[in-house]
């Protein structure tokens, strides 16, 4: 904006009339005065117009933000609050309940119960005669009842004693060696540590609540500091395992990438995730972009297909890319519902049509002719959107920097520039339509953030990420989490198998 001009000295009507009658020199002064006054007014009108345009831009930004929800933006469903629009589920035509072949989890009677409790007959139910001395005729198996319950949980204390023996030949006394894992006078064992890691790393309880749970369930008064030390120990033990997980992901044909903000020592850091159907790798870093991606070391050497949400730093790497169309559908919904742009609805219908035909296809890919037809339709819709959102016309004095684009214009630029990545699911049927797998991997980490708010140290965040990487990988491979956590202390070969 230009600076305000100085206000000319105000003249009364009588002074102006006197100057007008006084002669040519006075008339010139009067004209100069009127020009100065006009210039001042024009300058201030321009300033007011610029201020008004800024207010309108801010108002539009606020209105757009208020109109956003989990259906038409990247906002999570939890942010919708009571305004959330309930999903109306369309009838599928299928009968309710479990389907044929589905393995249920119905409680079934055990063939060999651990405890048998016999309920004796005291008297005859007809005449009341005592039957205590009578011999039992048997039990009706059809009327047996079983109760599945947990026994009282009690911590088991194992005392290790080292034998001392004296040699009969030389008289030397020899003391047995304690196991390597028993290095302290009093310590917690692998089972208890595995439970602590499960409760904290998988159950996502805070340290204080986890300590309370241990005392209530097991009668062990663990402190929050002890739980922190257990996390650190497990994190160190899993260092090599996490490197093998990273190598497994690096060799995969398709990898999902995502990132989210996290607080460490009260400062903003970024949690990065790379995941496949069988493995998950988490890593915290102070940066979000290329510096962090290079430090993690997956994308710089990756030669497969990277599925992500379109963060610009990902495109700095030479692998193939596939963009999340679930994000595109939400953004297109916003442009259609709030801006009333028809092309957005057509693009939604197009993407869902291609997705449906892909899912119904019995082959491995579409024919070349069908792909060309899909590409033609896609480009026509993008062109329609470009026509509806022409670039802004510069008026007056140019401002420094790039002109801010609308949401629709930014979306169109991405759809146009990264056409191959948007339609990657169409070219290769093994590529998913969305990046939901990456978002699922990162979702529970956001739950942890809601519970604890922040990590007090980078070491603590790193230990947590290593434990979650291991647990998530164990779950994806269908293994028992508790058994896998106990294996950390047993010296067994932990997954994945080294290459």
């Amino acid at each position: 904006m230009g600076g305000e001009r100085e206000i000319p000295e105000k003249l009364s009507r009588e002074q102006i009339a006197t100057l007008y009658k006084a002669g040519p020199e006075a008339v010139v002064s009067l004209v100069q005065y009127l020009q100065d006054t006009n210039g001042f007014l024009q300058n201030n009108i321009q300033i007011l117009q610029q201020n008004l345009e800024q207010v309108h831009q801010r108002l539009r930004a606020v209105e757009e933000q208020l109109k956003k929800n989990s259906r038409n933006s990247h906002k999570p469903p939890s942010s919708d609050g009571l305004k959330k629009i309930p999903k109306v589920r369309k009838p599928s035509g299928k009968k309710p309940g479990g389907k044929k072949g589905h393995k249920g989890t119905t409680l079934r009677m055990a063939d060999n119960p651990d405890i048998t409790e016999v309920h004796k007959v005291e008297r005859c139910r007809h005449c009341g005669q005592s039957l205590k001395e009578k011999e039992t005729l048997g039990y009706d198996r059809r009327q047996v009842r079983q109760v599945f319950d947990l026994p009282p949980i009690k911590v088991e204390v194992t005392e290790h004693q080292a034998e001392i023996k004296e040699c009969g030949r030389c008289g030397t006394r020899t003391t047995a060696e304690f196991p390597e894992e028993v290095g302290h006078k009093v310590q917690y064992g692998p089972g208890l540590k595995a439970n602590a890691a499960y409760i904290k790393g998988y159950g996502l309880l805070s340290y204080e609540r986890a300590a309370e749970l241990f005392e209530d369930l097991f009668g062990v008064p663990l402190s929050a500091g002890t739980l922190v030390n257990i996390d650190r120990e497990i994190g160190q033990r899993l260092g090599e395992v996490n490197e093998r997980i990273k190598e497994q992901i690096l060799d995969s044909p398709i990898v999902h990438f995502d990132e989210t903000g996290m607080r460490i020592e009260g400062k903003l850091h970024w949690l990065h995730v790379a995941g496949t159907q069988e493995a998950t790798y988490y890593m915290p870093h102070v940066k979000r972009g290329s510096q962090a991606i290079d430090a993690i070391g997956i994308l710089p050497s990756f030669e497969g297909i990277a599925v992500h949400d379109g963060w610009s730093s990902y495109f700095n790497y030479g692998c193939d890319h596939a963009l999340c169309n679930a994000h595109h559908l939400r953004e297109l919904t916003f442009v259609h519902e709030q801006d009333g742009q028809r092309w957005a609805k057509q693009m939604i219908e197009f993407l869902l049509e291609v997705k449906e035909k892909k899912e119904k296809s019995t082959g491995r890919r579409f024919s070349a002719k069908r792909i060309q037809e899909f590409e033609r339709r896609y480009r026509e819709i993008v062109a329609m959107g470009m026509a509806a959102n022409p670039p802004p016309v510069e008026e007056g004095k140019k401002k420094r920097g790039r002109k801010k684009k609308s949401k629709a214009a930014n979306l169109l630029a991405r759809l146009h520039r990264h056409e191959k990545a948007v339609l990657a699911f169409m070219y290769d049927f093994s590529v998913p339509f969305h990046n939901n797998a990456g978002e699922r991997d990162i979702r529970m980490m956001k739950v942890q953030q809601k519970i604890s708010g922040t990590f007090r140290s980078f070491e603590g965040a790193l230990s947590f990420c290593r434990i979650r990487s291991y647990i998530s990988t164990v779950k994806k491979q269908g293994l028992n989490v508790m058994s896998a956590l106990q294996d950390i202390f047993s010296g067994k070969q932990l997954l994945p198998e080294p290459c």
Side-chain angles (χ1 to χ4, degrees):
M1 292 186 298
E4 293 186 4
R5 297 179 60 174
E6 187 176 342
I7 303 175
E9 181 183 354
K10 187 173 183 180
L11 299 178
S12 65
R13 289 184 178 181
E14 291 76 9
Q15 290 174 316
I16 293 173
T18 302
L19 286 171
Y20 185 74
K21 296 176 181 179
E25 293 182 359
V27 171
V28 171
S29 299
L30 177 60
V31 170
Q32 183 64 44
Y33 166 77
L34 294 174
Q35 288 177 341
D36 291 343
T37 303
N38 181 64
F40 166 76
L41 293 175
Q42 291 295 330
N43 184 66
N44 279 276
I45 289 172
Q46 184 179 2
I47 292 172
L48 291 173
Q49 287 176 336
Q50 292 174 347
N51 290 340
L52 184 61
E53 178 60 27
Q54 289 183 351
V55 171
H56 284 162
Q57 289 178 359
R58 292 178 182 177
L59 182 60
R60 283 194 293 269
V62 171
E63 288 177 341
E64 284 187 358
Q65 193 65 30
L66 290 174
K67 291 175 181 177
K68 288 182 179 179
N69 53 49
S70 60
R71 288 179 57 255
N72 57 27
S73 71
H74 305 327
K75 296 178 70 174
S78 58
S79 65
D80 292 343
L82 297 177
K83 296 181 180 179
K84 182 176 181 179
I85 302 174
K87 290 185 178 180
V88 180
R89 186 173 178 270
K90 296 180 179 179
S92 63
K94 300 178 181 178
K95 294 182 179 180
K99 303 299 180 286
K100 187 176 181 180
H102 170 70
K103 294 182 179 180
T105 55
T106 304
L107 193 61
R108 300 183 184 280
M109 297 190 74
D111 295 330
N112 300 300
D114 301 295
I115 300 172
T116 300
E117 185 174 336
V118 177
H119 299 277
K120 298 183 177 297
V121 177
E122 300 290 337
R123 296 182 178 277
C124 175
R125 65 183 178 85
H126 178 67
C127 66
Q129 176 69 28
S130 175
L131 301 177
K132 290 182 180 181
E133 304 301 327
K134 286 288 185 179
E135 183 179 351
T136 301
L137 300 178
Y139 305 93
D140 188 349
R141 186 64 185 171
R142 294 171 299 177
Q143 295 185 7
V144 168
R145 301 180 182 183
Q146 292 183 348
V147 177
F148 288 68
D149 203 353
L150 289 173
I153 303 173
K154 183 179 181 297
V155 172
E156 182 179 77
V157 179
T158 300
E159 182 175 278
H160 293 259
Q161 299 178 349
E163 280 187 337
I164 303 174
K165 291 186 178 181
E166 184 176 300
C167 179
R169 184 172 65 179
C170 66
T172 301
R173 287 190 174 186
T174 302
T175 304
E177 296 288 337
F178 287 107
E180 184 179 350
E181 64 272 13
V182 184
H184 300 279
K185 193 74 175 176
V186 179
Q187 67 182 62
Y188 295 113
L192 188 143
K193 291 178 180 179
N195 274 274
Y198 186 95
I199 291 169
K200 180 66 182 69
Y202 188 53
L204 301 179
L205 292 184
S206 65
Y207 283 118
E208 289 74 16
R209 291 186 64 189
E212 292 176 5
L213 184 143
F214 257 89
E215 186 166 8
D216 292 340
L217 286 184
F218 309 121
V220 179
L222 285 181
S223 67
T226 300
L227 291 171
V228 171
N229 292 334
I230 291 174
D231 271 0
R232 299 290 193 277
E233 178 186 353
I234 295 176
Q236 290 175 358
R237 288 176 178 264
L238 289 176
E240 182 183 344
V241 178
N242 269 256
E243 287 303 307
R244 293 206 302 272
I245 290 175
K246 184 168 78 171
E247 291 298 322
Q248 179 179 332
I249 290 173
L250 189 57
D251 293 336
S252 301
I254 298 175
V255 178
H256 296 263
F257 294 90
D258 205 352
E259 74 289 327
T260 187
M262 69 186 308
R263 292 280 175 183
I264 301 177
E265 297 178 327
K267 298 178 181 178
L268 177 64
H269 285 64
W270 293 90
L271 173 69
H272 297 259
V273 61
T276 66
Q277 297 299 317
E278 295 185 347
T280 309
Y281 183 82
Y282 297 106
M283 177 60 70
H285 199 276
V286 70
K287 297 292 185 179
R288 183 184 184 187
S290 296
Q291 185 177 337
I293 296 172
D294 290 340
I296 293 169
I298 294 179
L299 264 178
S301 305
F302 183 58
E303 297 180 352
I305 300 174
V307 185
H308 53 84
D309 300 340
W311 176 241
S312 58
S313 296
Y314 290 129
F315 291 106
N316 294 334
Y317 301 90
C319 61
D320 293 329
H321 297 269
L323 290 180
C324 175
N325 284 302
H327 276 70
H328 291 150
L329 292 180
R330 290 194 289 267
E331 292 181 78
L332 290 164
T333 299
F334 181 85
V335 173
H336 170 61
E337 293 182 350
Q338 305 304 328
D339 298 340
Q341 299 194 22
R342 292 178 53 194
W343 70 269
K345 182 174 177 57
Q346 292 182 20
M347 182 62 79
I348 292 173
E349 294 171 347
F350 169 78
L351 291 173
L352 292 178
E353 177 189 340
V354 177
K355 175 177 178 288
E356 183 181 4
K357 288 183 177 179
K358 169 188 169 180
E359 292 171 349
K360 291 182 177 179
S361 175
T362 57
R364 293 185 177 181
R365 62 179 66 248
F366 289 123
S367 65
K369 183 178 180 181
R370 172 161 283 190
I371 287 177
Q372 290 177 356
E373 174 63 18
F374 283 148
E375 288 176 338
R376 181 190 63 77
R377 290 174 56 191
Y378 178 88
R379 291 164 188 165
E380 285 180 354
I381 297 173
V382 171
M384 187 187 306
M386 293 289 192
N389 296 273
V393 179
E394 297 287 350
E395 295 181 359
K397 186 178 179 180
K398 289 187 177 181
K399 297 181 182 179
R400 297 179 63 183
R402 290 181 298 179
K403 184 77 174 180
K404 185 177 180 181
K405 295 181 180 180
S406 65
K407 299 289 184 183
N410 286 327
L411 175 58
L412 280 163
R414 190 190 322 138
L415 296 175
H416 174 69
R417 188 183 308 117
H418 302 297
E419 175 184 317
K420 296 295 183 183
V422 175
L423 298 177
F425 76 100
M426 178 185 78
Y427 297 115
D428 185 347
F429 281 11
S430 65
V431 176
F433 180 78
H434 45 60
N435 191 33
N436 288 359
E439 294 183 1
R440 280 195 298 268
D441 283 336
I442 218 162
R443 188 172 298 140
M444 296 312 294
M445 306 297 272
K446 296 299 292 183
V447 174
Q448 163 67 20
Q449 290 287 288
K450 289 181 180 179
I451 294 170
S452 299
T454 184
F455 289 95
R456 296 182 181 179
S457 68
F458 188 84
E459 183 186 0
L462 182 60
S463 296
F464 178 76
C465 287
R466 286 178 175 177
I467 294 171
R468 283 298 307 188
S469 295
Y470 181 66
I471 290 176
S472 178
T473 302
V474 166
K475 289 290 290 181
K476 286 181 177 181
Q477 298 190 14
L479 303 177
N480 182 276
V481 175
M482 182 59 69
S483 297
L485 289 171
Q486 290 176 341
D487 288 345
I488 296 173
F489 303 95
S490 66
K492 293 181 180 179
Q493 176 61 57
L494 303 177
L495 60 87
E497 294 292 335
C499 299

